[in-house]
Amino acid sequence: MFHTVAEIAEHPPAPDTPDTAPALEPETHVPAAPDEGWPGQIYLDGLQHGELYFQRCRWCHTAAFHRLLCPVCAATDMEWEASAGAGVVRQATVVRRSNGSLRTVAVIDMAEGFRLRATLSGVSADSVRPGTLVCLDPHAVHPRELTFKLADTRSADDRIPAAWR
């Protein structure tokens, strides 16, 4: 429904003809930019500071990433939590952008129990296998894009669970 309204608002109204109903006036109300009270602002602010936030259901404690409803109990009472930023690659692929550049995109299972899709920086899809440890790249070029890098398992990184090392 929203998609249809957006398309109508972008085009001028159809001319009135005797055998059709009069055209509806397009909506001129433009939604305001999200303010400090917008729940998703926590996530965007975290990305700009190199942190990843996810949601956890207050009823069943299921971790989820960008959901309106809990995927298990369908509750709407979700709270934001900071993630450790460590995960395991489930699958990876190469995506060609319209300008011809290539980027590696992966589906990542995070340590907290949720799954997300993100860009892997500095690696090709050939060198990434399922089970590869990755961590959030806080120095990403695009502050609003999720970017992960290969985790250094030799260092004593607190973000990587001991079971995954």
Side-chain angles (χ1 to χ4, degrees), residues 52-55 63-65 83 108-116:
L52 177 64
Y53 284 87
F54 68 99
Q55 295 165 298
F65 188 67
S83 171
I108 301 170
D109 289 332
M110 299 299 291
E112 292 82 9
F114 63 95
R115 185 176 291 163
L116 57 84

Side-chain angles (χ1 to χ4, degrees), residues 14-112:
D16 291 334
T17 57
D19 51 332
T20 62
L24 297 174
E25 289 296 318
E27 255 187 64
T28 57
H29 172 70
V30 177
D35 59 290
E36 295 299 323
W38 182 60
Q41 192 65 37
I42 296 169
Y43 168 75
L44 293 177
D45 289 343
L47 277 185
Q48 291 178 351
H49 293 41
E51 300 172 345
L52 177 64
Y53 284 87
F54 68 99
Q55 295 165 298
R56 188 172 300 278
C57 178
R58 291 185 183 170
W59 291 93
C60 68
H61 304 290
T62 301
F65 188 67
H66 279 266
R67 302 293 292 261
L68 293 175
L69 299 173
C70 173
V72 174
C73 70
T76 58
D77 196 9
M78 307 285 278
E79 65 183 345
W80 290 96
E81 288 185 18
S83 171
V88 175
V89 173
R90 183 174 180 86
Q91 85 182 60
T93 189
V94 174
V95 176
R96 181 180 301 273
R97 292 188 169 179
S98 60
N99 63 2
S101 65
L102 300 175
R103 68 177 181 157
T104 304
V105 177
V107 175
I108 301 170
D109 289 332
M110 299 299 291
E112 292 82 9

